[in-house]
Structures are given as structure tokens and as C-alpha cells.
Amino acid sequence: FEGCYLLAALTFDSSTDSMLQSIGTSAFQNCSKLTGIYIPANISFIDDSVFRNCISLQTVSFSEDSVMKSIGTQFITTALHTLSLPSSIKSILPHAFTGLKSLTKVSFKNDSKLQTIGKSAFQDCTALPAFEIPSATTVLGSSAFESCTSLTSVSVSQDSQLQSIGTSAFQNCNLLITFDMPSATTTL
């Protein structure tokens, strides 16, 4: 579908019978009219750059039964506003959402298994006002939220497992007002 400039809607079988397991490199690159996508449960891998230059892509939803373990740079150069990640995600890879200027909300399920937020994962997401770090998260990579100039609040649960906060994780987050350091944190 790469370069299908007029493709505005894409529907995968949302039933558990869907056999689709992966989406390859650049599969939807430059589909500039695509506004939203639903990721079925059986997809375990989405290659990088799959949605590159899908400049109208605002919403991505995942099946509640998603088996995906990590998320990377699949959504670079999109117009994502909100993102609700499935509980199966264990790692947000480096630069995953870097520069998404329209991203205003990232949410996780209560039973999130997220362990790692990679280097520069949300760097330059200038419209992101708040972020809640899931309790299972142990590593916050360097520059993870660098230059998130609208970020005012970072919530960390009392039972947080956050052990390491990387260098410059919140550099240039000039509006950041509150951050409660978890007791599990050993490296700053």
C-alpha cells in the first residue's frame, strides 16, 4: 500500500480469527489520507517506518488482546493525537515517538507490563501535557522526555518499580511542576 495517497480507511478483520501476524517495512508509508488504524490482536510485530509520512494519521487503537511486546518508530511523521498502548507492550524503543508535535495523550492499561521507556522515546512531543509512568516500568531512558515543552506533570505510582532515570530525561521541560521520586529509584 506504500504511496496509496488516497487511501483514507483500512480495516483489518477485528475478530480473533485474523491470521495477520506482522506488518512489514513501509507497508503504509506515504498514505497521506489515512486517518486511523486498528491493530488486530495477533499482530506481534510492526516494522519501523510502516506509517512514515502518514500525515493525517491521528488515531491508533490496539486490540485488548494484543500480543505486541514492543513499539518503535512505526509512527514517526504522523499526526497522532492520542495513543492507548496495550498491556502486552514491554518496551517503548528509542526514538519511538520523537517529534510528534500533535501528541497530547499517552495512556496505559492498569495491568501494563511496560518495563522500559527508551532513549528519546517522547523527545520533542511539544503538546504532551502529562504522563503517567506505569508501575512495572524499571527504566526511563536518557532524553526520554527532553524538550516536551508542555509537560507539567509526571505521575508515578506508589508501588513504582522505576529504578533508573537516564541523563537529561526531562531536560528543557520548563513547565514541569511535579515529579514524585519513587523509592525504588537507584540511579538518576
Side-chain angles (χ1 to χ4, degrees), residues 2-3 6 12 19 42 44-47 62 72 79 85-86 93-94 103 141 144 164 166 169 178:
E2 181 178 356
L6 299 178
F12 292 112
M19 298 300 289
N42 289 337
S44 60
F45 180 75
I46 300 176
D47 209 338
F62 293 85
L85 292 173
L93 300 176
L103 187 63
S164 175
T178 59

Side-chain angles (χ1 to χ4, degrees), residues 114-151:
L114 184 68
Q115 297 171 350
T116 304
I117 297 175
K119 175 183 177 181
S120 302
F122 294 95
Q123 185 175 351
D124 291 319
C125 291
T126 56
L128 188 64
F131 194 90
E132 184 173 342
I133 298 174
S135 61
T137 304
T138 59
V139 176
L140 185 61
S142 61
S143 301
F145 294 93
E146 182 178 335
S147 298
C148 289
T149 54
S150 296
L151 192 64

Side-chain angles (χ1 to χ4, degrees), residues 103-114:
L103 187 63
T104 58
K105 184 175 183 181
V106 178
S107 60
F108 302 92
K109 306 293 182 210
N110 287 336
D111 62 343
S112 173
K113 294 171 182 59
L114 184 68

Side-chain angles (χ1 to χ4, degrees), residues 9-16 18 20 23 28 34-43 46 51 57 59-66 75:
L10 176 69
T11 306
F12 292 112
D13 183 356
S14 62
S15 75
T16 55
S18 176
L20 188 62
I23 301 175
F28 300 102
L34 189 63
T35 59
I37 191 159
Y38 169 81
I39 309 295
N42 289 337
I43 292 184
I46 300 176
F51 299 102
L57 185 63
T59 59
V60 175
S61 58
F62 293 85
S63 168
E64 291 288 324
D65 301 321
S66 177
F75 303 102

Side-chain angles (χ1 to χ4, degrees), residues 40 159 163 168 188:
D159 63 340
Q163 297 171 6
S168 303
L188 180 60

